Amino acid sequence: MALIPFAQMKDTIKKAFINVGLSEDDAELCATVHTQSSADGVYSHGLNRVERFCNYVKEGYVDVKACVDVVKENGCICILDGNRGIGIKNAITAVNKAMELASAHGVGIVALRNTTHWMRGGSYGLMAAQKGYMAICFTNTESCMPAWGAVNNHLGNNPFVIALPQGDDVMLLDMAMSQYSYGKLTTTRLAGEKLPYPGGFDENGVLTDDPGAIEKSMRILPTGMWKGAAMTIMLDALAAALSAGSCTKEIDEINRGSCTGCSQIFMVFDPKSFAGAEMTQHITKTVCDYVNASEPDEHTSLVCYPGQRSLMRRKKNMAEGIPADDGVFAAVSKIAGV
């Protein structure tokens, strides 16, 4: 495991993206998001996803020349078609449009269809909250999780994001509908570690904390068990219905890598039209401070609000360097030609 300075990691990722056909501007944009994700400790969707994305570009799953089309716009609502372009670029276009609509109407709702993997979903909530907005974002995915009581996979893990401005940073929930995402399983396995809590079933149907066994069986555990399974079904239906896009069944039929053809929702709220910017900041700070004031249990030193640990990792990683698996960084460096 190496510690890589932010600038070096971003430059390496950018060169890799340029070498597979991204423009200079798009490579800069995507490399920044990937590196920021790793800096925040979301390694699974930062550096660790670069090689896979590059392979998808080479396979033609992602069209690096595609641009977003406006399908329909009505007041505070807009439907966009991503034309299977770069997922990060499409998602940034969508959240920026949602902020623009929220400034005009108090609320902006953008439904993006026919796009590709947005990488770290929390990036888009973070972008909105850092500019003073509140946001709810979610996406559907290809099937990678069983419905409750099932053995085979008919559900996506359908990441869900909520973000609010909070002091100098944000209050940020970024969660998959599985107890652990596949990216987290991979990161844990590469580190030679076990999961803190059981995260799925092995091939014999036994609940386990072994990430490799869960990757092999593909029987990840829904967050909250049957409740998480129910929520992922509803998020899938809602994302597809609002965008007039593909649901998980149809993404499976597309069968062009992770999330190709998926549907995403970006809901942004301008605090000025609700409680006001100052009151919103006061409320979120009060909530966060109250959570931090909780008495820690026997295994915890600080009880954190959503997003706080990412903020702490960001400060540490920016100062000391971003942890990178040697094999993963070597693979990306090879694509980059460095």
Side-chain angles (χ1 to χ4, degrees):
M1 186 72 70
L3 295 177
I4 311 296
F6 186 97
Q8 180 186 350
M9 181 176 287
K10 192 186 91 166
D11 184 62
T12 303
I13 295 173
K14 180 179 178 179
K15 287 176 180 175
F17 288 159
I18 289 173
N19 284 350
V20 296
L22 273 68
S23 69
E24 174 88 17
D25 288 345
D26 290 348
E28 172 72 21
L29 183 73
C30 294
T32 298
V33 171
H34 277 271
T35 309
Q36 286 174 341
S37 297
S38 278
D40 283 6
V42 190
Y43 311 111
S44 59
H45 290 69
L47 177 73
N48 292 16
R49 281 290 175 121
V50 171
E51 184 179 16
R52 189 191 303 186
F53 172 78
C54 291
N55 288 337
Y56 286 176
V57 173
K58 292 174 186 177
E59 292 289 338
Y61 298 170
V62 178
D63 182 354
V64 299
K65 305 296 185 185
C67 295
V68 168
D69 289 329
V70 177
V71 177
K72 182 178 183 180
E73 187 167 352
N74 182 15
C76 67
I77 297 168
C78 182
I79 299 176
L80 302 176
D81 191 310
N83 293 307
R84 300 189 191 172
I86 300 167
I88 288 175
K89 183 180 177 182
N90 286 352
I92 290 175
T93 298
V95 76
N96 282 338
K97 179 64 175 179
M99 285 189 280
E100 175 190 319
L101 293 171
S103 293
H105 302 283
V107 177
I109 302 174
V110 173
L112 172 64
R113 72 189 187 201
N114 195 30
T115 188
T116 59
H117 203 306
W118 65 359
M119 301 304 159
R120 178 196 182 192
S123 297
Y124 313 106
L126 189 64
M127 288 175 189
Q130 285 177 334
K131 293 182 179 180
Y133 296 91
M134 301 175 284
I136 299 174
C137 311
F138 56 95
T139 182
N140 60 10
T141 74
E142 77 285 356
S143 61
C144 56
M145 181 168 69
W148 189 250
V151 174
N152 60 332
N153 292 337
H154 279 189
L155 306 186
N157 67 9
N158 301 350
F160 183 68
V161 176
I162 303 177
L164 290 86
Q166 196 279 118
D168 295 329
D169 203 75
V170 307
M171 190 179 185
L172 176 67
L173 171 70
D174 179 8
M175 60 177 284
M177 288 296 109
S178 54
Q179 186 66 38
Y180 300 100
S181 69
Y182 279 99
K184 177 65 174 178
L185 296 180
T186 302
T187 302
T188 305
R189 174 176 51 78
L190 288 172
E193 298 174 353
K194 298 290 188 180
L195 298 166
Y197 302 95
F201 301 91
D202 65 17
E203 291 185 311
N204 297 315
V206 177
L207 203 59
T208 180
D209 60 1
D210 180 352
I214 301 167
E215 287 176 307
K216 188 175 180 181
S217 72
M218 292 193 70
R219 292 180 65 183
I220 54 176
L221 186 68
T223 299
M225 298 181 283
W226 53 88
K227 295 180 181 179
M231 188 168 180
T232 200
I233 293 167
M234 299 304 292
L235 289 174
D236 176 33
L238 191 58
L242 291 176
S243 65
S246 297
C247 61
T248 288
K249 177 181 182 294
E250 292 160 337
I251 298 169
D252 286 349
E253 291 167 354
I254 291 169
N255 192 28
R256 293 175 69 81
S258 178
C259 289
T260 299
C262 66
S263 306
Q264 298 173 349
I265 305 300
F266 303 81
M267 297 186 287
V268 173
F269 309 87
D270 187 345
K272 293 193 294 291
S273 296
F274 294 89
E278 186 175 338
M279 178 59 74
T280 299
Q281 289 274 356
H282 171 73
I283 290 168
T284 54
K285 187 175 187 309
T286 299
V287 171
C288 292
D289 288 348
Y290 199 51
V291 171
N292 285 159
S294 301
E295 181 179 352
D297 67 16
E298 299 82 3
H299 311 290
T300 307
S301 58
L302 174 66
V303 180
C304 294
Y305 60 82
Q308 189 172 10
R309 293 193 188 281
S310 290
L311 174 59
M312 292 189 291
R313 289 191 199 100
R314 182 189 313 158
K315 290 178 178 177
K316 184 177 189 291
N317 290 346
M318 292 299 288
E320 300 176 4
I322 303 170
D325 178 85
D326 293 330
V328 172
F329 191 66
V332 175
S333 296
K334 183 177 180 181
I335 300 169
V338 297

